[in-house]
Amino acid sequence: MTHDTRRWEQQISQAGYRVTRQRALVLDAVCAGRGHTTLTEVAGRVRRRDRTVSRSTVYRALHMFVATGVVVQADTGDAEPYYEIARETPHHHLRCRDCGWEGEITADDLSALEETVRDRYGFVVNTDHLVLFGQCAACQSRSQS
Amino acid sequence: MTHDTRRWEQQISQAGYRVTRQRALVLDAVCAGRGHTTLTEVAGRVRRRDRTVSRSTVYRALHMFVATGVVVQADTGDAEPYYEIARETPHHHLRCRDCGWEGEITADDLSALEETVRDRYGFVVNTDHLVLFGQCAACQSRSQS
DNA sequence: GTCGTTGTTGCCAATCTTCGCAACAACCGG
DNA sequence: CCGGTTGTTGCGAAGATTGGCAACAACGAC
């Protein structure tokens, strides 16, 4: 269990949503994916626990959780989007175009960029879960040889 | 016309793809969207010029152009993805969560972040067309009052 | 605990996107 | 210019996602 039950219940009910059995199942299914999951995996896990839950409900619950910030969504662009439980400290992803390797970077790593954007454009960046594409260390040395 | 015909023909044929009438139509349709377009708009423009072009072809052409780097795709996450002709100098987007305002930043603005990531993680960032969410200057002053 | 209000769910239909396949056309070599 | 090879297209089907609606359930008030 990577999420605190009290927390998300309060979070969505403050936003005017109700706490339902189906939504709990969906959130559990997101947690069950170590780190990140795809929609397909979530739907599968929910169905295994309760096959009366409709597919639409999974879609709707996931969207609602993303809208309320309980779950965070990362669009990798070339694959299915990832879902994961939002953590206290936001983080971002690295993804190698060659081998598919994935890494994480902290929000601190973005602070310089955020300052630049604020100074030059007056815009306050507030993004969670960016995905940066590029080439990992291993693939760099491999492609040099 | 925002794209050079010679350029893209060479670019895709070097990648092993063929230059076809349908693909030219799709690319023209992307150009026709000042700056950026959605898939729906592209399909509409293509159909207006030649209603025998199938919907699947538009999907496939767009994917192929993105894969070869002729067209660039920006996933805003909460809306339809944008497509636009790739420029010589890559750029990125800002998007205000409150009013939907959109701005552009240059690739230079990311250089500090790229250095940080390379130093700390040995990862070379190579991302085009990032979308940074946040709050624009106007909405900041409005929400302060 | 019971009731009433109102958001939610499941089902089914509509829509969007992808896939498989046979006919077609781009491109190469002669 | 012509024929052969092979990627591409259009079509119809399959699969994925969204939307409408009536029955249902959460939750606040009593």
Side-chain angles (χ1 to χ4, degrees), chain A residues 73 75 77 94-97 101 104-106 108-110 112-113 116-117 120-128 130-137 140, chain B residues 73 75 77 94-97 101 104-106 108-110 112-113 116-117 120-128 130-137 140:
Chain A
Q73 171 180 6
D75 288 305
L94 302 177
R95 174 158 186 153
C96 178
R97 279 209 164 88
W101 172 86
E104 276 183 21
I105 63 176
T106 66
D108 281 352
D109 296 325
L110 277 192
L113 171 64
T116 305
V117 172
R120 293 193 195 164
Y121 307 91
F123 186 94
V124 176
V125 174
N126 176 26
T127 289
D128 194 8
L130 225 49
V131 180
L132 299 176
F133 290 89
Q135 196 176 37
C136 70
Q140 282 169 55
Chain B
Q73 172 180 6
D75 289 305
L94 303 177
R95 175 158 184 152
C96 179
R97 279 208 163 90
W101 173 86
E104 277 184 20
I105 65 176
T106 66
D108 281 352
D109 296 325
L110 278 190
L113 172 64
T116 304
V117 172
R120 293 194 193 162
Y121 307 92
F123 186 93
V124 175
V125 173
N126 177 26
T127 290
D128 195 7
L130 226 49
V131 180
L132 299 176
F133 290 89
Q135 196 176 36
C136 71
Q140 283 168 54

Side-chain angles (χ1 to χ4, degrees), chain B residues 2 28-38 41 45 83-85:
Chain B
T2 57
D28 284 352
V30 174
C31 284
R34 228 172 38 70
H36 56 267
T37 334
T38 65
E41 294 170 336
R45 292 197 199 98
Y83 296 93
E84 51 179 284
I85 302 290

Side-chain angles (χ1 to χ4, degrees), chain B residues 72-104:
Chain B
V72 121
Q73 172 180 6
D75 289 305
T76 63
D78 51 17
E80 272 189 295
Y82 291 160
Y83 296 93
E84 51 179 284
I85 302 290
R87 311 183 200 163
E88 326 70 52
T89 63
H91 64 287
H92 307 278
H93 292 272
L94 303 177
R95 175 158 184 152
C96 179
R97 279 208 163 90
D98 296 343
C99 69
W101 173 86
E102 300 198 348
E104 277 184 20

Side-chain angles (χ1 to χ4, degrees), chain A residues 3 20-32 42-43 45-46 49 53-54 57-63 65 71 85:
Chain A
H3 63 286
T20 68
R21 189 176 51 84
Q22 290 89 338
R23 287 176 174 160
L25 283 172
V26 169
L27 202 55
D28 283 352
V30 173
C31 284
V42 171
R45 292 198 198 98
V46 170
R49 284 226 266 162
V53 174
S54 107
T57 298
V58 176
Y59 282 106
R60 288 185 286 217
L62 229 30
H63 284 158
F65 281 131
V71 167
I85 302 290

Side-chain angles (χ1 to χ4, degrees), chain A residues 31-52:
Chain A
C31 284
R34 229 173 37 73
H36 56 268
T37 334
T38 65
L39 187 144
T40 311
E41 294 170 336
V42 171
R45 292 198 198 98
V46 170
R47 173 157 290 271
R48 221 169 299 140
R49 284 226 266 162
D50 180 350
R51 60 176 45 233
T52 71

Side-chain angles (χ1 to χ4, degrees), chain B residues 28-83:
Chain B
D28 284 352
V30 174
C31 284
R34 228 172 38 70
H36 56 267
T37 334
T38 65
L39 186 145
T40 311
E41 294 170 336
V42 170
R45 292 197 199 98
V46 169
R47 173 157 289 270
R48 223 169 297 140
R49 285 226 266 162
D50 181 349
R51 60 175 45 231
T52 71
V53 174
S54 105
R55 203 173 192 74
S56 316
T57 300
V58 176
Y59 283 105
R60 289 185 286 218
L62 230 28
H63 285 158
M64 185 275 288
F65 281 131
V66 170
T68 53
V70 176
V71 167
V72 121
Q73 172 180 6
D75 289 305
T76 63
D78 51 17
E80 272 189 295
Y82 291 160
Y83 296 93

